[in-house]
Amino acid sequence: ETNKLYCTSVKCCIFELKAELNSDKKEKKKEAVKKVIASMTVGKDVSALFPDVVNCMQTDNLELKKLVYLYLMNYAKSQPDMAIMAVNTFVKDCEDPNPLIRALAVRTMGCIRVDKITEYLCEPLRKCLKDEDPYVRKTAAVCVAKLHDINAQLVEDQGFLDTLKDLISDSNPMVVANAVAALSEISESHPNCNLLDLNPQSINKLLTALNECTEWGQIFILDCLANYTPRDDRESQSICERVTPRLSHANSAVVLSAVKVLMKFMEMLPKDLDYYGTLLKKLAPPLVTLLSAEPELQYVALRNINLIVQKRPEILKHEMKVFFVKYNDPIYVKLEKLDIMIRLASQANIAQVLAELKEYATEVDVDFVRKAVRAIGRCAIKVEQSAERCVSTLLDLIQTKVNYVVQEAIVVIKDIFRKYPNKYESVIATLCENLDSLDEPEARAAMIWIVGEYAERIDNADELLESFLEGFHDESTQVTTQQNTQVLHKHTQNTPDSDNPDLRDRGYIYWRLLSTDPVAAKEVVLAEKPLISEETDLIEPTLLEELICHIGSLASVYHKPPNAFVEGSRGVQHKRLPARTASGESAESPDAGQSVGGVSDAPPAVIPSQGDLLGDLLNLDLAPPSASVPVVPASMQMGVDLLGGGLDSLIAVGLAGGTGGMPAGLGGTPAMGGGLGDLFDLGGGVGMATGSYVPPKAVWLPAMKAKGLEISGTFARRGGGIHMDLSLTNNAMSIMTDFAIQFNRNSFGLAPAGPLQVLTPLAQNQTIDVSLPLNTNGPIMKMEPLNNLQVAVKNNIDVFYFSCQYPISLLFVEDGKMDRQVFLATWKDIPSENETQYQIKDFHLNSDAASTKLQGSNVFTVAKRTVDAQDLLYQSIKLTNGIWALAELRIQSITPNYMTRLRTRASLSLSASLWVQFAMLYDCGFLEGLDHFVVFP
Amino acid sequence: MISQVFILSSQGDHLIYKDCILMHYSQENSLDLYLKLVGITILLSVQCPQRNKNLNFIHVRHSGLYWVVSTKDNPSPFTIIEFLNRLAALTKDYCGSLSEKSVRMNFALIYELLDEMVDYGYIQTTSTDILKNFIQTEAVTSKPFSLFDLSNVGLFGAETQQSKVAPSAAASRPIVASHGEQVRKNEIFVDVVERLSVVIGSNGVLMKADVEGEIRVKCYLPTCSEMRIGLNEEFSIGKSQLRGYGAAVRVDECSFHQAVKLDEFDTYRILKVCPSQGEQTLMQYQLSDELPCAPPFRLFPTVEKDYGSRLLIFLKLRCDLPPKRYLTFVGISQTVARALLLFSLSQELSSPEQSAELQPRSKAVLWTIPRFPGGAQLSAVFKVEVPRLSSASLLEVGPISMSFELPKYTCTGLQVRFLRLSPTQPGLSQRWVRYVTHSDSYTIRI
């Protein structure tokens, strides 16, 4: 009979139910309300029964009352007027002698989100907060949080927050736990009002309540403790000591909350302290225990362990075995375990790990097998001593001829070759046997790379490469790019005829390169590759720190900060690990824990993920090695060139070429500058104080060279557009008319966006100022120097040619501010070979002024931090062609010297030829996915 | 914290739906939409949390039902999974058994439970001792509990057939007796359950052996001031500790339910607890690497390439347990080849009650042995036709994995010496102690 509660037809139900609800018999009423709720559960609309159900509310039967309340909670919002009818009963129930009914009433009232009801709620709530029964008090405490969500102002006005704070000292631990939970929730939406007011006294109270609470209450309290920053290492240690017993709790949520507190407070303990070592040892067993739970729990535990292993690998370094994959683990658990295994791999356990990985490679699940094969490669790269064994394991796997195993193995062998060049080429023969079975782009690309790279050791390399060329049209970009590079590698000249413009252009570049300058070409394609660096997929340190503060939460499973997936204001506050403070010098500043931005130790370099292979290889092919650190003194006659052309070496070369190559009359004028230093504009006389840097006008075309026409000019960036500001002076004896202007192809595709507007004829000795808007959609050709612009001006007399140079800052676009996280990730992602450093001497701006000035020219300060009396400014620049350049500006307050480190994805170096640089620029633009991709002639 | 709680049938129908913070997302908007997108069966194979439309879903599966929580902010998934497990356990305790039917019949009771367990998304309590003060609704059981259900349970300590090991019907009834019931059975069940995972290398060397165990109590006693469970006196924790001169029973790591009092544990190995009604896990423990006994099985596999495209697999299996012991439900599966599409199997098994079949999905041969007495030795020959068999295919023959159940046996040797209730319960009070070892993952590499 009870099964009939799930009635199928709605209409018949409503009528029948209405009759039953109004029945005199209590049992019948109860059954009717049950049916109503059953319909509600399956999603039927039974709101029409609202008045009838409310009528059942006044009853002394607790079971029936509870059912009615359940219904009310669901429908009160859609029926606010009806809900008012129930208010009297609510208020009456709040005075009931039975504490169960009092609590039920206050709990339900808080759930009814109707404004009118909240007015009536205040008085009952106030009474219930001071009720003699702890069950009522704990319910009332949660009710304050509910009310706050509906009407925050009301809660503050009524003084409920203070009452709530008092409840933290309540004698009943359940009340304390709910009060803590409610206060934490409220303070999350008001980050500034410091509701919880954590101080040593209140912390002590919480720690005492911790021992008496239910397991769920312990979680609230531990999470609250984690937000506290102890004053010094002694306090930190004493809290740790009192939290440690929670690690053996059977509830994994309690354990993880305790781990979070410990991981955070450990940060403050000196590492040489005995207790620090003890604590590390205590953390391992509870984490290992989590792995014997059911798969759902195992997965979330593994995601957390992954973070912990990255932060403190020493905790689990002896526990490798527990991460070995079980045959019946679900695939998602297997993949996570594999990841942790690689992180824990070291010389001590590598043999064991490799034996396991080899077994995994024979399993059935394709994804898992692939990842296992990759893992072998990662071990080789991580533990150098194991490389040889890894390679032989991979060869064994290739022998199985299982298609995807072979392909995966070739991809990782390529990485091993990059890490250990010229060491394992004996295996190439085996690889070449498997050419035919390669059908995945990544594997083909890897194979082409290997063949090209070791061409001189492979007798039939030409044939092999040609065999790849047969399928040229069908290949994915990744493969063809690789082919191009490698075909060139062999100096096999080819003119590709592909539909992919990126590729075609790349081909053209190389082709032109080869036809014009074989030496340069060799330099480009055969440039020494940077070594592949340490492992891998590490989480960026700042993010890792934040995630450690969120251990045990969803953030720690997604490996994303909470604000990346939580809507609204909650969780926006970034959490940071506390900085270590010795007990003597206690930190007063509340944000002491937050000032450290991240890069505490030099973060391990990261190899790009596999998906980034393309970009990686392109850079590899083109990146010339080494970075030099020229010391560029402030050039006083330039007045402003403080960064010494220090945007990067690219520009520096451009500058050097520019000043050197100019006729004496023109060279050395400020307009020829163009380094970042100009932007500081210390001279102050020229340009706008806050706006973009504008060099003073310089004579570009002397009158004697142009039959009386003198042109001087400058470049400016205004309102997001580029302008060429010209002054035309007629020194000739006749009137000049019919002006027109054209640019030669140039490095950044600058072109006039409109005609040269000289409307009236230019009379004798007259000067006219014209502003010519420019765009960057013009044809592109590498110029020497890079920022050189060749201009042709025509008038009724003749055509005149001159060249001028624009400050590179002209090309810095307004949306060049990189997101902080992206910046840090990118900074690390760019290999240090791509870094150039400059020292700037005698510089007298403080960091804020420098930052403001630079921002005027679209050099954006992404982050600033202060370390050892040095201000570090992290800055990003985006060029019109989409290339990003990242800079670190180190300003010492004692000496007036600046140090800049500049990184771009394109590897820029003084030693490489400009051709190389241009090719790189070009590749970069291509990689960044430019809208207006430039087509090479 | 928790935004919504769902209990779904195996088809994805809502059995229970509670909106904890009244988000007034229509149900259509959240879980249903998500399930429409992925299909209910996906819940079997994906990890949680899953994210969809600003909601995070966390689910567990018990008795064919899906227990799902959605949440908007950044709570602890551990809290939620633990909560869902407790919810399932409590539902079972209160409704007697856990099935779609029992949940449907007791939805009012479950709503009431949920109301007391979660307030505004905050978990309040999951303890039956506290909850029983608040719960008004009586459980509805599909058939009234009858004494006959007890008939298949042997007396404490006596040897009986396997049914004694499987949770008996006696342990699946509501913890709160309904008013109609005349006799209240005062029973308490203590189960020692161990899960064994073993990896044996291709050279026959034991590479890894782990035991995860727990002591579970299911209590039907309405009042019980204290229960004392005595474990082996030689029981020791950690590597350094060695106790007594007898065969040591050692575990690496041990954790206890917070209600367990340990003041007599150090000296006498006695767990003291006032059990709440319902099911609880009193103690969990792990042992890795050093098993006190040999693993229960030895398997001697030979894989050969027969003439033509036939793969010959010869398995000899020996049970190293004492002859009085036996294993039930032994299933042995072996991946034969990954690439194969079509193949046929012929077999020679040593007794007719065994069976063997090919499982095309996992590409494995499954050999089932219903009962395997200690000291016995069984063998089987499988001939598998594999098209395009090459010598490399031999490398593809994967590991052998076994699943089995070993009643009345613990690998660690952990025993319950005594089970005392104080004060002595008046009238009928029955105490049951049961032991079982399951295979968690028992793999033999080739």
Side-chain angles (χ1 to χ4, degrees):
Chain A
E1 301 84 341
T2 357
N3 265 338
K4 284 185 190 158
L5 288 174
Y6 286 83
C7 182
T8 41
S9 139
V10 180
K11 250 186 203 164
C12 88
C13 276
I14 300 280
F15 282 118
E16 272 175 32
L17 288 172
K18 214 176 178 75
E20 284 176 36
L21 284 170
N22 292 314
S23 152
D24 296 334
K25 286 179 190 150
K26 211 185 273 175
E27 276 307 307
K28 205 155 194 186
K29 267 189 182 177
K30 199 160 80 185
E31 282 310 304
V33 178
K34 273 192 187 177
K35 284 182 196 169
V36 171
I37 290 168
S39 315
M40 200 168 86
T41 300
V42 292
K44 279 180 206 157
D45 183 11
V46 283
S47 59
L49 293 167
F50 201 94
D52 307 283
V53 178
V54 169
N55 275 340
C56 301
M57 200 173 163
Q58 291 188 9
T59 170
D60 48 359
N61 184 316
L62 194 54
E63 190 184 349
L64 178 56
K65 201 177 223 47
K66 277 186 150 180
L67 289 169
V68 174
Y69 274 34
L70 188 66
Y71 175 89
L72 279 178
M73 266 196 256
N74 235 349
Y75 282 114
K77 196 168 185 187
S78 56
Q79 309 269 334
D81 297 333
M82 293 284 186
I84 294 296
M85 285 167 43
V87 162
N88 276 335
T89 321
F90 278 131
V91 175
K92 213 174 100 214
D93 282 353
C94 286
E95 308 265 331
D96 198 279
N98 184 345
L100 292 191
I101 294 185
R102 292 202 297 275
L104 180 65
V106 78
R107 184 169 72 204
T108 314
M109 269 178 99
C111 289
I112 297 178
R113 301 177 59 97
V114 178
D115 280 341
K116 286 178 197 159
I117 284 192
T118 53
E119 297 166 26
Y120 295 95
L121 180 59
C122 290
E123 273 323 296
L125 178 58
R126 195 185 314 284
K127 274 189 201 146
C128 288
L129 280 167
K130 302 213 157 97
D131 200 284
E132 54 179 17
D133 193 294
Y135 180 67
V136 181
R137 288 203 301 276
K138 73 132 186 150
T139 312
V142 174
C143 190
V144 175
K146 294 177 190 169
L147 189 58
H148 185 270
D149 195 37
I150 306 170
N151 190 341
Q153 195 57 44
L154 186 70
V155 169
E156 279 166 41
D157 295 347
Q158 295 280 331
F160 285 140
L161 293 182
D162 293 326
T163 323
L164 208 50
K165 279 187 207 164
D166 294 343
L167 287 183
I168 292 188
S169 321
D170 199 280
S171 58
N172 184 299
M174 274 217 359
V175 180
V176 178
N178 275 5
V180 168
L183 282 172
S184 305
E185 161 122 5
I186 293 171
S187 62
E188 259 179 50
S189 51
H190 295 275
N192 301 323
C193 64
N194 195 24
L195 273 177
L196 274 162
D197 187 30
L198 296 174
N199 55 50
Q201 286 76 37
S202 63
I203 290 293
N204 200 29
K205 272 183 210 158
L206 289 180
L207 285 167
T208 313
L210 189 60
N211 296 325
E212 296 160 1
C213 264
T214 68
E215 49 199 317
W216 311 107
Q218 293 183 16
I219 299 168
F220 300 146
I221 292 178
L222 287 169
D223 288 347
C224 175
L225 278 178
N227 289 327
Y228 176 65
T229 308
R231 288 160 310 169
D232 53 44
D233 51 351
R234 250 181 263 144
E235 190 186 9
S236 184
Q237 178 175 347
S238 86
I239 296 175
C240 286
E241 279 165 359
R242 294 176 70 176
V243 167
T244 316
R246 300 296 127 206
L247 288 177
S248 55
H249 201 284
N251 186 324
S252 65
V254 176
V255 175
L256 259 289
S257 291
V259 168
K260 169 164 65 183
V261 173
L262 296 175
M263 284 293 285
K264 198 173 166 188
F265 289 7
M266 254 174 114
E267 201 71 13
M268 296 185 68
L269 301 176
K271 290 200 172 182
D272 46 358
L273 196 69
D274 286 346
Y275 181 70
Y276 179 84
T278 320
L279 202 51
L280 277 183
K281 282 201 194 89
K282 282 188 178 160
L283 277 168
L287 294 175
V288 170
T289 304
L290 289 173
L291 296 181
S292 53
E294 67 268 25
E296 291 90 0
L297 217 48
Q298 265 190 57
Y299 173 75
V300 286
L302 285 166
R303 294 289 285 175
N304 276 281
I305 290 172
N306 201 328
L307 293 176
I308 293 168
V309 165
Q310 287 184 58
K311 180 74 189 163
R312 297 194 183 282
E314 62 271 32
I315 293 176
L316 288 165
K317 66 180 172 196
H318 298 305
E319 306 290 345
M320 176 58 99
K321 269 193 167 183
V322 297
F323 298 104
F324 286 176
V325 169
K326 286 183 192 165
Y327 193 70
N328 52 346
D329 281 335
I331 179 71
Y332 52 86
V333 168
K334 285 184 176 173
L335 294 177
E336 276 309 309
K337 281 187 172 173
L338 210 51
D339 209 45
I340 295 171
M341 277 172 70
I342 300 159
R343 293 198 196 290
L344 287 176
S346 65
Q347 205 184 335
N349 56 25
I350 194 74
Q352 216 181 1
V353 172
L354 272 180
E356 281 293 308
L357 291 176
K358 197 179 171 189
E359 285 296 331
Y360 301 163
T362 64
E363 284 209 22
V364 185
D365 193 300
V366 176
D367 283 343
F368 180 59
V369 171
R370 283 175 180 274
K371 184 134 189 196
V373 176
R374 291 230 163 171
I376 296 174
R378 280 168 68 180
C379 284
I381 289 164
K382 191 169 181 206
V383 185
E384 184 164 0
Q385 295 83 353
S386 75
E388 193 155 347
R389 203 180 311 187
C390 292
V391 171
S392 76
T393 308
L394 288 168
L395 282 181
D396 286 352
L397 290 174
I398 288 176
Q399 300 298 351
T400 64
K401 306 274 180 196
V402 178
N403 183 286
Y404 53 86
V405 174
V406 173
Q407 309 213 37
E408 212 62 41
I410 286 180
V411 172
V412 298
I413 285 180
K414 179 217 66 196
D415 280 344
I416 296 174
F417 280 0
R418 283 175 57 196
K419 168 85 181 181
Y420 310 109
N422 304 321
K423 241 180 148 176
Y424 300 108
E425 57 271 27
S426 55
V427 308
I428 292 173
T430 321
L431 303 185
C432 291
E433 288 164 17
N434 290 287
L435 275 184
D436 299 337
S437 62
L438 304 182
D439 53 10
E440 288 164 24
E442 203 181 344
R444 285 176 74 88
M447 195 62 218
I448 295 169
W449 187 89
I450 293 169
V451 172
E453 194 57 33
Y454 292 94
E456 70 272 27
R457 294 191 188 78
I458 307 172
D459 300 335
N460 57 345
D462 306 45
E463 281 168 41
L464 291 177
L465 281 177
E466 253 161 52
S467 73
F468 279 110
L469 274 177
E470 281 163 21
F472 195 78
H473 282 283
D474 310 328
E475 297 285 11
S476 74
T477 321
Q478 193 176 343
V479 180
T480 34
T481 315
Q482 197 58 252
Q483 278 176 350
N484 253 346
T485 317
Q486 298 302 349
V487 168
L488 273 160
H489 219 136
K490 282 287 295 168
H491 290 251
T492 316
Q493 189 171 342
N494 101 54
T495 44
D497 178 23
S498 163
D499 291 335
N500 182 332
D502 298 350
L503 200 62
R504 188 182 58 224
D505 293 335
R506 216 181 133 89
Y508 274 127
I509 288 192
Y510 292 133
W511 178 66
R512 279 184 66 121
L513 207 62
L514 281 169
S515 51
T516 47
D517 186 356
V519 182
K522 195 171 175 187
E523 215 172 320
V524 171
V525 184
L526 297 179
E528 200 176 308
K529 291 131 206 87
L531 295 180
I532 193 160
S533 46
E534 251 300 84
E535 278 306 278
T536 179
D537 304 339
L538 287 171
I539 294 176
E540 189 274 311
T542 329
L543 180 60
L544 181 62
E545 285 203 5
E546 185 170 0
L547 291 178
I548 290 285
C549 297
H550 288 288
I551 278 182
S553 75
L554 283 181
S556 69
V557 180
Y558 292 142
H559 290 184
K560 282 181 193 160
N563 57 347
F565 62 91
V566 180
E567 278 188 328
S569 60
R570 282 183 193 172
V572 166
Q573 237 179 330
H574 286 281
K575 293 190 178 177
R576 291 277 171 269
L577 291 176
R580 174 128 48 85
T581 321
S583 38
E585 20 162 330
S586 76
E588 294 299 323
S589 140
D591 57 359
Q594 298 172 5
S595 61
V596 181
V599 214
S600 47
D601 301 313
V606 174
I607 59 165
S609 67
Q610 295 297 339
D612 210 19
L613 177 74
L614 169 61
D616 190 39
L617 289 173
L618 291 180
N619 276 346
L620 276 183
D621 292 333
L622 299 164
S626 89
S628 48
V629 188
V631 177
V632 183
S635 152
M636 289 324 286
Q637 70 270 43
M638 302 272 277
V640 287
D641 193 3
L642 289 158
L643 284 186
L647 168 58
D648 56 33
S649 56
L650 166 73
I651 295 154
V653 172
L655 277 177
T659 38
M662 276 289 144
L666 302 172
T669 56
M672 300 303 148
L676 202 52
D678 292 343
L679 306 174
F680 285 112
D681 190 17
L682 269 195
V686 222
M688 293 158 284
T690 51
S692 163
Y693 166 73
V694 180
K697 276 186 181 167
V699 177
W700 285 339
L701 184 66
M704 51 191 278
K705 278 193 162 182
K707 302 186 177 161
L709 175 66
E710 185 185 273
I711 300 179
S712 60
T714 184
F715 293 91
R717 194 172 178 91
R718 286 193 292 267
I722 306 170
H723 297 267
M724 185 187 215
D725 295 331
L726 296 167
S727 295
L728 309 178
T729 308
N730 184 353
N731 289 338
M733 307 301 286
S734 57
I735 312 173
M736 294 180 178
T737 57
D738 302 332
F739 283 97
I741 192 164
Q742 265 190 350
F743 293 176
N744 197 1
R745 287 186 289 231
N746 56 75
S747 317
F748 290 92
L750 281 175
L756 188 61
Q757 300 279 344
V758 186
L759 297 175
T760 49
L762 195 60
Q764 236 172 303
N765 291 327
Q766 192 190 348
T767 299
I768 188 168
D769 289 339
V770 204
S771 179
L772 178 70
L774 307 182
N775 61 31
T776 51
N777 304 335
I780 288 189
M781 187 174 78
K782 174 75 183 71
M783 292 304 292
E784 179 93 17
L786 197 71
N787 57 339
N788 198 12
L789 182 66
Q790 291 175 344
V791 185
V793 172
K794 181 189 91 88
N795 61 10
N796 55 339
I797 300 166
D798 203 350
V799 182
F800 310 105
Y801 301 94
F802 65 92
S803 67
C804 56
Q805 284 164 45
Y806 46 90
I808 205 82
S809 62
L810 196 65
L811 304 165
F812 298 172
V813 295
E814 279 69 21
D815 62 344
K817 182 153 186 169
M818 207 177 236
D819 175 75
R820 220 184 135 189
Q821 303 285 353
V822 179
F823 182 93
L824 285 162
T826 315
W827 179 268
K828 276 191 354 171
D829 201 30
I830 297 173
S832 52
E833 289 85 350
N834 284 15
E835 179 179 304
T836 41
Q837 298 191 352
Y838 297 97
Q839 199 179 3
I840 306 144
K841 288 188 172 160
D842 297 325
F843 188 75
H844 297 281
L845 273 184
N846 67 23
S847 60
D848 288 341
S851 173
T852 317
K853 278 229 181 280
L854 286 168
Q855 175 139 2
S857 290
N858 297 337
V859 178
F860 295 96
T861 304
V862 175
K864 178 187 165 182
R865 78 195 168 102
T866 308
V867 176
D868 305 335
Q870 287 187 334
D871 285 342
L872 297 176
L873 296 180
Y874 291 92
Q875 298 179 313
S876 70
I877 299 158
K878 189 183 173 192
L879 297 178
T880 47
N881 57 359
I883 294 176
W884 287 88
L886 311 181
E888 180 197 79
L889 193 57
R890 195 179 281 257
I891 301 171
Q892 288 165 328
S893 35
I894 311 155
T895 57
N897 290 346
Y898 274 31
M899 187 73 177
T900 59
R901 295 160 70 194
L902 203 125
R903 293 185 177 187
T904 68
R905 260 192 210 283
S907 179
L908 305 169
S909 149
L910 287 168
S911 60
S913 77
L914 288 171
W915 261 111
V916 176
Q917 288 176 2
F918 182 60
M920 275 183 300
L921 273 179
Y922 191 81
D923 280 331
C924 245
F926 157 48
L927 287 175
E928 299 284 341
L930 285 186
D931 303 348
H932 57 281
F933 180 71
V934 285
V935 180
F936 203 76
Chain B
M1 290 306 294
I2 295 172
S3 303
Q4 299 163 305
V5 183
F6 303 83
I7 302 178
L8 305 178
S9 74
S10 52
Q11 276 74 46
D13 304 328
H14 289 194
L15 301 178
I16 298 288
Y17 163 67
K18 183 176 161 66
D19 187 348
C20 295
I21 56 167
L22 295 213
M23 323 191 285
H24 287 284
Y25 269 108
S26 82
Q27 299 179 31
E28 221 23 59
N29 262 344
S30 54
L31 184 69
D32 285 353
L33 204 71
Y34 168 63
L35 290 178
K36 257 180 215 154
L37 206 70
V38 297
I40 182 82
T41 47
I42 194 84
L43 291 184
L44 281 174
S45 58
V46 297
Q47 75 273 26
C48 56
Q50 287 287 316
R51 198 168 155 65
N52 183 55
K53 293 235 165 150
N54 305 318
L55 282 177
N56 308 290
F57 292 101
I58 295 174
H59 67 268
V60 298
R61 193 163 177 264
H62 285 285
S63 307
L65 304 174
Y66 295 99
W67 308 70
V68 188
V69 154
S70 79
T71 157
K72 280 199 296 188
D73 52 3
N74 181 31
S76 155
F78 295 93
T79 311
I80 289 169
I81 293 174
E82 292 275 359
F83 165 76
L84 288 173
N85 289 339
R86 289 314 156 80
L87 175 63
L90 280 169
T91 311
K92 191 176 167 199
D93 284 348
Y94 271 87
C95 305
S97 62
L98 209 51
S99 67
E100 193 175 325
K101 194 176 168 199
S102 69
V103 170
R104 276 191 199 275
M105 283 193 301
N106 289 294
F107 73 95
L109 172 64
I110 297 171
Y111 274 125
E112 203 182 350
L113 275 171
L114 270 172
D115 256 356
E116 298 297 340
M117 288 167 74
V118 194
D119 189 6
Y120 196 50
Y122 292 111
I123 301 166
Q124 299 295 302
T125 183
T126 50
S127 140
T128 39
D129 288 337
I130 300 176
L131 283 171
K132 71 180 174 194
N133 300 319
F134 310 129
I135 302 302
Q136 308 290 324
T137 317
E138 267 182 27
V140 186
T141 43
S142 47
K143 60 170 187 204
F145 172 71
S146 123
L147 271 178
F148 291 110
D149 293 341
L150 271 179
S151 60
N152 60 354
V153 179
L155 289 173
F156 177 64
E159 295 266 315
T160 51
Q161 69 275 34
Q162 67 182 64
S163 59
K164 188 174 164 253
V165 176
S168 68
S172 56
R173 60 189 165 104
I175 48 166
V176 183
S178 66
H179 298 303
E181 200 180 320
Q182 294 299 311
V183 192
R184 295 169 66 109
K185 298 295 291 179
N186 289 339
E187 284 178 308
I188 190 152
F189 296 82
V190 175
D191 291 353
V192 181
V193 183
E194 293 191 347
R195 288 179 297 161
L196 178 66
S197 50
V198 165
V199 179
I200 296 172
S202 47
N203 49 2
V205 173
L206 186 65
M207 295 174 73
K208 183 182 153 183
D210 293 342
V211 180
E212 291 153 7
E214 56 188 31
I215 299 179
R216 279 203 295 251
V217 170
K218 177 132 187 182
C219 175
Y220 286 102
L221 306 173
T223 53
C224 175
S225 59
E226 192 174 75
M227 175 170 73
R228 287 151 59 89
I229 302 175
L231 307 181
N232 319 38
E233 285 191 55
E234 316 75 57
F235 184 78
S236 67
I237 303 168
K239 294 207 180 352
S240 53
Q241 243 182 332
L242 266 181
R243 292 167 68 93
Y245 302 97
V249 177
R250 193 185 65 80
V251 299
D252 289 337
E253 206 48 56
C254 219
S255 65
F256 301 93
H257 190 281
Q258 66 171 359
V260 177
K261 290 198 222 66
L262 296 170
D263 47 334
E264 287 185 56
F265 185 73
D266 274 347
T267 352
Y268 303 110
R269 297 304 183 205
I270 293 171
L271 302 172
K272 289 201 295 188
V273 64
C274 304
S276 319
Q277 282 183 313
E279 203 172 310
Q280 286 148 315
T281 300
L282 293 189
M283 174 174 143
Q284 288 169 293
Y285 55 91
Q286 285 97 42
L287 172 64
S288 28
D289 289 340
E290 289 171 47
L291 284 189
C293 55
F297 285 116
R298 284 275 147 182
L299 185 115
F300 307 95
T302 326
V303 181
E304 279 169 16
K305 194 179 159 214
D306 210 0
Y307 56 89
S309 59
R310 190 189 283 175
L311 202 62
L312 198 67
I313 303 169
F314 180 71
L315 300 178
K316 195 167 76 177
L317 187 64
R318 197 179 74 208
C319 178
D320 286 344
L321 292 171
K324 269 175 96 182
R325 304 275 176 219
Y326 60 89
L327 292 129
T328 50
F329 317 119
V330 183
I332 298 156
S333 67
Q334 177 173 30
T335 326
V336 269
R338 281 178 297 203
L340 81 187
L341 299 165
L342 274 170
F343 57 104
S344 62
L345 171 82
S346 63
Q347 64 205 42
E348 291 165 28
L349 302 172
S350 50
S351 94
E353 59 185 9
Q354 301 169 27
S355 65
E357 59 176 335
L358 270 174
Q359 298 200 307
R361 247 180 114 184
S362 54
K363 289 168 181 162
V365 176
L366 177 69
W367 176 20
T368 314
I369 305 160
R371 190 183 157 97
F372 193 179
Q377 184 163 311
L378 298 176
S379 59
V381 180
F382 301 105
K383 290 170 188 163
V384 189
E385 290 289 338
V386 181
R388 284 188 289 131
L389 186 78
S390 66
S391 54
S393 307
L394 286 181
L395 294 169
E396 279 190 55
V397 177
I400 297 169
S401 92
M402 301 189 167
S403 50
F404 54 85
E405 194 173 281
L406 187 50
K408 290 180 290 181
Y409 183 80
T410 54
C411 285
T412 52
L414 183 78
Q415 300 280 325
V416 174
R417 270 189 300 143
F418 59 80
L419 182 60
R420 280 184 205 130
L421 301 172
S422 64
T424 323
Q425 293 286 311
L428 273 174
S429 76
Q430 282 172 312
R431 295 162 294 177
W432 307 97
V433 179
R434 308 181 289 190
Y435 303 95
V436 67
T437 297
H438 294 282
S439 59
D440 183 20
S441 157
Y442 198 98
T443 310
I444 296 154
R445 289 178 178 162
I446 296 215

